[in-house]
């Protein structure tokens, strides 16, 4: 059911695309080429196994996030693994939710954006001879425009990009 009167700020499809955007994007840019280059054609089988297990894990994570999310009186939705830990487990795990949230924020600096923007910058430099600093500035500007718009703008972008990434 993708009706506009459903609870939440974004549609179900937008929520799915937002959840899948990092999962699909990180490995698709260079991970497959590196795996096949280092491991040969047999690596494709293990990529399928890892992909199946990864998507099963992501499905479980999204399902639990929906189950244990919090909706404020203004209608803003807060969810994710931190809220699953906080609301789904006993109160003694409350500090673990904070530690997990901190870990995710800190790890996103290396895995979340540096790898992808580096790969795109390398491709633009190699094929079109665009200097790295120009592509970096453009990526930073685009990311800030999207992120400052909040979840609604993020979901509008991911609902258009993720189907092509998949």
């Amino acid at each position: 059911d993708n009706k506009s009167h459903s609870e939440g700020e974004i549609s179900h499809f937008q929520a799915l695309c937002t959840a899948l955007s990092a999962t699909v994007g990180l490995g698709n840019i260079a991970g497959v080429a590196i795996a096949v280059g280092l491991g040969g054609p047999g690596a494709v089988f293990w990529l399928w196994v890892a992909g199946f297990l990864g998507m099963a894990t992501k499905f479980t994570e999204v399902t639990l996030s929906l189950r244990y999310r919090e909706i404020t009186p203004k209608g803003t939705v807060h969810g994710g693994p931190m809220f699953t830990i906080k609301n789904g487990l006993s109160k003694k795990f409350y500090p673990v939710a904070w530690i997990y949230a901190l870990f995710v924020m800190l790890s996103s600096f290396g895995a979340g954006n540096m790898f992808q923007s580096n790969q795109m910058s390398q491709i633009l430099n190699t094929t079109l001879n665009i200097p790295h600093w120009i592509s970096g500035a453009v990526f930073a500007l685009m990311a800030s425009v999207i992120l400052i718009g909040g979840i609604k703008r993020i979901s509008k972008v991911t609902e258009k990009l993720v189907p092509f990434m998949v």
Side-chain angles (χ1 to χ4, degrees), residues 86-107:
K86 178 183 155 213
N87 300 331
L89 299 175
S90 68
K91 295 297 179 200
K92 67 181 178 180
F93 287 101
Y94 187 75
V96 175
W98 280 97
I99 293 168
Y100 181 84
L102 179 65
F103 173 76
V104 168
M105 285 185 350
L106 293 175
S107 67

Side-chain angles (χ1 to χ4, degrees), residues 54-114:
M55 285 298 140
T57 302
K58 179 56 85 172
F59 176 79
T60 304
E61 176 188 335
V62 171
T63 302
L64 289 172
S65 293
L66 286 171
R67 170 72 175 88
Y68 294 108
R69 67 186 176 173
E70 293 179 4
I71 301 172
T72 66
K74 292 182 178 180
T76 305
V77 179
H78 300 284
M82 295 76 63
F83 286 88
T84 301
I85 295 169
K86 178 183 155 213
N87 300 331
L89 299 175
S90 68
K91 295 297 179 200
K92 67 181 178 180
F93 287 101
Y94 187 75
V96 175
W98 280 97
I99 293 168
Y100 181 84
L102 179 65
F103 173 76
V104 168
M105 285 185 350
L106 293 175
S107 67
S108 70
F109 290 115
N113 52 21
M114 285 186 199

